[in-house]
Amino acid sequence: MAGRIEARLAELGITLPVPAAPIANYVPFSVSGKLLIVSGQIPLQEGRIVHTGKLGAGVALEDGVAAARLCFINLLAQVRAATGDLDLVARVLRLGGFIAAPPEFTQHAVVMNGASDLAVEVFGEAGRHARTTIGVPSLPGDAAVEVEGMFELA
């Protein structure tokens, strides 16, 4: 029987992918006590990066929002791998967003709302979180967005 969060994902039409393996010398997540920290996730779908390039320089704002949303879905896949049960998430504590963009781009927060809004859609009030969003000149694999997360476990 699916848990509450898995049922909510199904209502939203979201199927979690197999978690992505690290591409360098790091682990996909770390757990210390009730704290789960998930390494940055890029907009991977079926093994390929689906949103590449720079926001404001060829990548549309809507595509950036979709990329951030997909990054959060990939974060959830890592959370499930770490815990075995998404219902063990008590709160989304923090999301960090990295937006590939030229210096004149200023809508980083709008892009990152793709991840933040989904966190609230999935977890309700427990999905409200602290957040940092920054622009960067490039990301691994030319990904347009990368999102990392910190979660409190029950």
Side-chain angles (χ1 to χ4, degrees):
M1 183 168 127
R4 180 180 57 84
I5 298 302
E6 295 277 354
R8 180 66 183 135
L9 290 171
E11 287 173 14
L12 294 169
I14 296 170
T15 302
L16 295 184
V18 172
I23 60 172
N25 188 18
Y26 64 92
V27 294
F29 54 81
S30 293
V31 179
S32 179
K34 291 186 173 192
L35 188 63
L36 168 62
I37 300 169
V38 180
S39 296
Q41 301 296 302
I42 57 178
L44 281 175
Q45 190 169 46
E46 297 177 6
R48 68 177 194 82
I49 303 171
V50 294
H51 299 284
T52 59
K54 312 274 185 285
L55 272 292
V59 177
L61 189 60
E62 306 78 46
D63 291 333
V65 172
R69 182 178 173 90
L70 182 53
C71 290
F72 189 76
I73 290 168
N74 290 326
L75 276 174
L76 290 178
Q78 296 290 356
V79 171
R80 186 171 63 189
T83 64
D85 183 354
L86 292 172
D87 285 349
L88 294 177
V89 173
R91 287 180 54 209
V92 180
L93 294 173
R94 179 186 179 279
L95 295 178
F98 305 90
I99 313 303
E104 60 274 5
F105 184 78
T106 60
Q107 294 183 294
H108 306 82
V110 174
V111 171
M112 189 57 186
N113 280 344
S116 293
D117 291 349
L118 185 55
V120 175
E121 284 182 72
V122 171
F123 292 102
E125 283 301 308
R128 297 200 182 279
H129 51 275
R131 181 174 98 176
T132 301
T133 305
I134 62 171
V136 297
S138 66
L139 288 166
D142 196 32
V145 178
E146 182 172 353
V147 178
E148 64 183 10
M150 186 180 303
F151 302 81
E152 179 185 4
L153 302 176

